């Protein structure tokens, strides 16, 4: 009977060994999958953190952009008064028409409008004259390269009497030419604001 019992144990032991081997293979497979999952999760942590940081940066940029737009709209209202709505409508089309963000257009328009107003341009002509100058700046930038805002800034500098920035755009204005034109228009000898 011991022999017979021995056979039964060997038979049961080999089945038990196979079962244990199957369990070991299953455990190794589970550990491998768990290791791959952990590796994937640790790799995903860096992009997830970067995504969260990017979203935070986008949120801050959006807030800053909205704040800049609000501030520039306030400047437009101050300079153009009852005609501010006309400038705001032009600003909303600025990205399409002249390649400027709405807040950029407003900023440039506020400066140009103030300059034109100080030069005596009537309030009802201020918005259209400003838009014409911004359009001219866009044309200069398209022809000679650079940003529209830089070209408009060069026009603004010219209106302040600074001729160097506009030379980049092929415009050459000499003081002697200005004096000759003033004399031809009967404006020679003016001083102060009248000369400006």
């Amino acid at each position: 009977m011991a022999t017979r019992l021995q056979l039964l144990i060997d038979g049961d032991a080999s089945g038990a060994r196979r079962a244990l081997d199957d369990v070991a293979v299953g455990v190794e497979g589970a550990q491998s999958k768990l290791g791959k999952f952990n590796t994937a999760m640790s790799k995903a942590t860096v992009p997830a953190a970067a995504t969260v940081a990017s979203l935070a940066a986008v949120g801050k940029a959006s807030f800053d952009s909205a704040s800049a737009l609000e501030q520039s709209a306030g400047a437009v209202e101050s300079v153009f008064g009852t005609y501010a709505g006309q400038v705001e409508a032009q600003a909303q089309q600025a990205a399409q028409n002249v390649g400027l963000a709405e807040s950029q257009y407003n900023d440039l328009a506020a400066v140009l409008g103030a300059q034109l107003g100080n030069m005596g341009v009537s309030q009802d002509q201020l918005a259209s004259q400003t838009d014409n100058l911004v359009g001219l700046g866009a044309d200069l930038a398209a022809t000679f390269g650079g940003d529209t805002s830089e070209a408009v800034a060069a026009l603004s500098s010219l209106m302040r009497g600074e001729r160097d920035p506009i030379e980049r755009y092929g415009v050459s204005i000499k003081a002697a030419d200005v004096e000759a034109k003033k004399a031809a228009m009967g404006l020679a000898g003016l001083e102060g604001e009248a000369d400006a």
Side-chain angles (χ1 to χ4, degrees):
M1 190 145 175
T3 307
R4 185 170 184 205
L5 186 57
Q6 179 69 33
L7 288 175
L8 281 175
I9 291 174
D10 282 344
D12 286 344
S14 67
R17 253 188 254 121
R18 276 195 307 268
L20 286 174
D21 286 345
D22 287 347
V23 168
V25 168
V27 168
E28 286 174 5
Q31 284 176 332
S32 173
K33 288 179 182 177
L34 185 59
K36 288 178 184 176
F37 176 76
N38 286 338
T39 301
M41 289 307 293
S42 66
K43 287 181 181 177
T45 301
V46 172
T51 300
V52 169
S54 295
L55 289 173
V58 167
K60 183 180 180 335
S62 296
F63 176 80
D64 291 347
S65 180
S67 178
L69 181 58
E70 183 179 344
Q71 188 171 13
S72 66
V76 165
E77 287 178 24
S78 175
V79 171
F80 293 94
T82 57
Y83 297 95
Q86 185 179 352
V87 176
E88 289 168 0
Q90 293 162 342
Q92 290 172 356
Q93 298 297 317
Q96 199 170 22
N97 295 341
V98 292
L100 292 171
E102 188 174 345
S103 62
Q104 287 177 306
Y105 184 96
N106 283 344
D107 288 340
L108 293 169
V111 171
L112 289 173
Q115 286 178 306
L116 290 171
N118 291 336
M119 294 172 70
V121 174
S122 66
Q123 192 73 21
D124 64 329
Q125 295 295 311
L126 212 50
S128 62
Q129 291 291 329
T130 298
D131 191 53
N132 288 341
L133 284 173
V134 173
L136 177 60
D139 291 343
L140 289 171
T143 302
F144 294 97
D147 293 337
T148 298
S149 59
E150 291 173 2
V152 173
L155 290 169
S156 176
S157 294
L158 181 61
M159 291 183 353
R160 289 189 309 270
E162 300 170 19
R163 293 184 273 286
D164 291 343
I166 199 69
E167 289 178 357
R168 172 182 176 192
Y169 301 99
V171 177
S172 177
I173 297 178
K174 296 178 180 73
D177 294 339
V178 172
E179 293 303 319
K181 183 67 173 179
K182 284 175 21 182
M185 296 173 68
L187 302 174
L190 295 176
E191 295 181 11
E193 284 188 37
D195 188 42

